[in-house]
Amino acid sequence: MDNFSFYSPTFFEFGKDAENKAGELVKRFGGSKVLIHYGGGSVVRSGLLDRVKKSLEEAGVKYTELGGVKPNPRSGLVYEGIELCKKENVDFVLAVGGGSTIDSSKAIAAGVLYDGDFWDFYSGKRIEKALPVGTILTIAAAGSEGSPDSVITKEEGMFKRGASGDAIRPKFSILNPSLTQTLPAYQTAAGITDIMAHLHERYLTNTKEVEVTDRLIEGLLLTMIHEGPRVIADPDNYEARANIMWAGMMAHNNAVGVGRSQDWNSHNIEHELSALYDCAHGAGLAVTMPAVFKYVYKHDVMRFAKLAVRVWGCQMDFDHPEVTALAGIACLENFLKSIGMPLSFEELGAKEEDIPKLVEALCYGDGRTGSISGFVTLDAEDCAKIYRMMIK
Ligand code: NZQ
Ligand code: ZN
């Protein structure tokens, strides 16, 4: 196991009606004037936004609001949010929505306290200071409710890039599984896929002897394989949604990723797809992950075979471990298909003729120097081959 530091101080309020504690929690974490940030309207239609405002009012907390965050959030609204916060003397950002809203909130929170262009953080500068952020999560997926990360798309060039820093870890996150019951099935499935991707990206490591985190990841994947189909079959199943919601947080606050190198090639390759085609991030990952895994599994066949045996219940073929490894990847594909996810470029709306553009943005865009690295290092030619493997 590698040396590591781990700092994850988010306060979680989990369960039914938890959003009614929003005002009390903002006050506890020092907020007196809040920016309520939200997306395209689901929180207005569900009545959640009104309940949150009422809770803030009851706690004597003032607020201003900014809606309109799009999935795959854009830089334009972040600039608008930063200006609004400065003008209104906002001292706390409250995200009400999914990963896109939370990430936009984190970008605003960091940008308000920074003299330069907030995009510097998405070009490699670490975030050291930010206004405090709280979240009220409405979809189990990105894990941003417990992560120190934010992903934003720069409209100029459509680069989708991430920024990090403990300063943007939420001070609190409110997780009420009932709030996810209004999700369309496709979004629920995309969220399940994203959570499973976060687990795979950590499982694919070059660090030896990491049994504790291996076992935790396997346990969370087994949970997703059990609960995913239950929630697709019965969207009102509170218990299944509760297990998925907590698994989504556990998958990405890095408790299961410490002390080991991680992959993130699937995420980087997918981010170009959601930047160019505006597809759901999880749906893009359903198409990307199997292609990446089939391309890289020979780098450590036994790791893939172990996952296949322990998580998918495949029979170990000691003479031909690559057969076991590939059987595990096939199980993942079948699972993703069974919950309604796309598996090909075509189903995603992606086009073969765009591959050079995707590779250019992935390997050279916004300061990159010709490759991406993770479990293995992939150059532009590798990435082009991987995108081509997604065409069925
Ligand atoms: O905008 P509204 O109207 O709220 O609708 C959203 C949106 O259309 C809808 N939705 C959310 N909760 C709902 C609901 N509809 C009905 N009922 C509800 N309860 O779902 C759609 C998707 O929302 P979004 O916030 O985009 O989903 P998600 O949480 O999957 O976030 C995706 C973004 O997170 C990034 C992705 O790249 C993508 O941009 N990621 C962020 C990470 C992080 N910060 O740590 C890590 C992830 O790997 C990921 O890259
Ligand atoms: Zn993700």
Side-chain angles (χ1 to χ4, degrees):
M1 197 188 296
D2 298 334
N3 292 355
F4 66 87
S5 310
F6 182 56
Y7 177 73
S8 178
T10 305
F11 179 95
F12 291 100
E13 189 68 44
F14 190 101
K16 290 174 183 161
D17 301 323
E19 63 274 16
N20 297 334
K21 299 213 170 135
E24 179 191 323
L25 285 170
V26 167
K27 249 168 94 174
R28 192 191 305 177
F29 289 96
S32 59
K33 177 75 185 278
V34 172
L35 173 71
I36 308 176
H37 200 32
Y38 57 94
S42 71
V43 302
V44 179
R45 290 189 294 279
S46 67
L48 174 62
L49 190 63
D50 284 342
R51 295 204 296 284
V52 171
K53 286 178 181 172
K54 185 163 170 268
S55 171
L56 293 175
E57 282 157 16
E58 281 169 1
V61 175
K62 296 195 190 72
Y63 58 81
T64 183
E65 64 186 90
L66 179 65
V69 182
K70 291 185 179 151
N72 307 312
R74 312 295 153 85
S75 51
L77 197 68
V78 174
Y79 290 114
E80 209 180 301
I82 292 169
E83 285 317 305
L84 182 62
C85 285
K86 286 180 177 167
K87 189 171 130 239
E88 298 278 338
N89 290 319
V90 162
D91 60 13
F92 196 102
V93 185
L94 180 61
V96 187
S100 295
T101 294
I102 299 174
D103 286 1
S104 186
S105 300
K106 288 173 170 177
I108 293 169
V112 172
L113 299 189
Y114 182 59
D115 286 339
D117 184 344
F118 93 90
W119 190 257
D120 292 349
F121 298 125
Y122 294 77
S123 308
K125 191 180 171 67
R126 204 161 172 83
I127 299 173
E128 304 287 356
K129 268 193 312 186
L131 290 180
V133 175
T135 87
I136 301 174
L137 185 66
T138 61
I139 171 172
S144 191
E145 67 277 13
S147 85
D149 311 313
S150 158
V151 184
I152 301 288
T153 299
K154 184 185 190 178
E155 277 146 320
E156 191 193 339
M158 292 308 272
F159 295 117
K160 188 172 183 184
R161 295 289 184 264
S164 273
D166 284 326
I168 56 168
R169 275 190 192 267
K171 295 287 174 253
F172 70 81
S173 281
I174 290 177
L175 272 52
N176 174 356
S178 317
L179 298 178
T180 68
Q181 286 172 358
T182 53
L183 278 164
Y186 188 81
Q187 289 295 343
T188 297
I192 289 167
T193 308
D194 192 18
I195 293 167
M196 292 177 76
H198 296 161
L199 295 164
H200 279 87
E201 299 269 27
R202 292 183 165 86
Y203 202 81
L204 298 186
T205 185
N206 292 309
T207 311
K208 304 289 174 219
E209 304 278 352
V210 283
E211 194 63 7
V212 62
T213 40
D214 273 359
R215 288 292 188 184
L216 288 166
I217 294 170
E218 290 159 9
L220 288 165
L221 279 170
L222 286 164
T223 303
M224 297 307 295
I225 292 164
H226 177 69
E227 301 292 10
R230 290 212 309 157
V231 88
I232 295 296
D234 176 11
D236 293 329
N237 186 330
Y238 176 87
E239 298 302 339
R241 288 210 179 262
N243 280 295
I244 289 173
M245 201 167 211
W246 193 238
M249 202 298 296
M250 293 288 293
H252 201 50
N253 84 333
N254 213 28
V256 303
V258 291
R260 54 196 289 149
S261 69
Q262 302 180 9
D263 187 5
W264 302 103
N265 280 335
S266 292
H267 265 68
N268 283 321
I269 291 171
E270 189 292 317
H271 280 163
E272 301 308 335
L273 294 172
S274 46
L276 189 62
Y277 304 111
D278 218 3
C279 57
H281 168 62
L285 285 166
V287 177
T288 306
M289 269 192 292
V292 172
F293 297 169
K294 282 180 208 163
Y295 194 78
V296 305
Y297 77 96
K298 286 187 182 146
H299 174 69
D300 188 347
V301 174
M302 289 310 288
R303 180 144 281 277
F304 275 92
K306 176 167 141 175
L307 184 71
V309 171
R310 288 185 178 179
V311 171
W312 296 107
C314 298
Q315 191 68 37
M316 183 67 201
D317 184 336
F318 286 99
D319 294 329
H320 306 285
E322 68 281 2
V323 172
T324 312
L326 287 170
I329 299 169
C331 287
L332 173 66
E333 277 187 297
N334 290 337
F335 176 85
L336 295 173
K337 190 169 177 205
S338 77
I339 60 168
M341 283 288 95
L343 290 179
S344 70
F345 237 43
E346 293 80 352
E347 288 171 275
L348 209 56
K351 297 191 189 76
E352 186 174 0
E353 59 266 32
D354 289 337
I355 289 177
K357 202 196 294 182
L358 290 163
V359 171
E360 175 70 23
L362 174 65
C363 295
Y364 297 98
D366 207 38
R368 292 214 179 125
T369 53
S371 63
I372 54 169
S373 56
F375 186 51
V376 297
T377 296
L378 300 169
D379 64 18
E381 203 183 316
D382 295 317
C383 294
K385 283 186 192 154
I386 290 168
Y387 281 126
R388 262 186 238 113
M389 285 167 72
M390 302 177 200
I391 300 165
K392 295 281 150 64

